[in-house]
Amino acid sequence: MKEELSEVNIHPDDYVNDLYKEDPLLAEVIQTIKEKGMPEVSVAPAYGRLLTFLVQTSGAKKVLEIGALGGYSGICLSRGMSEDGKLTSLELKEEYAALAHAHLTKAGYGEKVEYKIGPAADSLEELKKEGEKFDFFFIDADKENYPVYLEYAIQLANPGAIIAGDNCFLRGRTLNTEKNGPSVKAVRKFNESIATDERLMSTMLPAYDGLALAIVK
């Protein structure tokens, strides 16, 4: 199979991207992020569709997003929620949360999302003290705290909750043994925990920049 793929002129990621028409609303989010000079690190379109798919098929009503950025993933998550679904989004920067909320409002989900501003670990601790529980988690924020976010997600999870974590490969750095910066080490620890933690049933998708998926037992 590897030999066959090596003979193909188009990368599988590009092939998948070409199969689907560009989503006008999500394209607008990407363009606005670019124009404002924000990090262009939104979840890949195919994984955005997967988030919608997973939220909808799992019947998740309470969704927690760690890292709002411009609202791309927030829209994808909200599209999968039922009428009584609610999205809680944690974002460090107030201006990012404001832009994300504007985009979710335009998408028709403004009243279904609540933003908590500040360090995500602090917000997660507050949610834990409040006894909050969630059905779905999407982790896509500062990489050095990925292991911290994973542990909080497990503690805040309802039985059967899904945890998704983006950028497991850090554009190849986690696979390169010569790369050992704080973010790389943290994501490696996150990946290893996802794979071995007995509280989870998990897998990892190797396309794009890697997506970890786990179900909390």
Side-chain angles (χ1 to χ4, degrees), residues 134-135 137 150 153-163 197-202 213-217:
F134 297 89
D135 306 310
F137 301 82
L150 176 60
I154 295 172
Q155 294 181 24
L156 292 167
N158 283 318
I162 295 175
I163 300 173
D197 195 305
E198 294 183 354
R199 295 169 294 178
L200 305 173
M201 179 176 67
S202 69
L213 293 173
I215 293 177
V216 181
K217 296 178 182 178

Side-chain angles (χ1 to χ4, degrees), residues 56-112:
Q56 183 170 333
T57 55
S58 67
K61 292 185 178 181
K62 295 186 67 177
V63 179
L64 180 64
E65 172 188 50
I66 305 176
L69 192 60
Y72 190 107
S73 58
I75 292 173
C76 294
L77 292 164
S78 297
R79 283 175 171 174
M81 294 191 308
S82 58
E83 286 295 324
D84 57 347
K86 178 184 176 183
L87 171 66
T88 300
S89 183
L90 312 185
E91 174 54 53
L92 177 65
K93 298 185 178 182
E94 189 169 354
E95 61 269 28
Y96 287 9
L99 179 63
H101 191 225
H103 283 141
L104 263 78
T105 299
K106 185 171 183 178
Y109 305 114
E111 295 182 358
K112 290 188 174 185

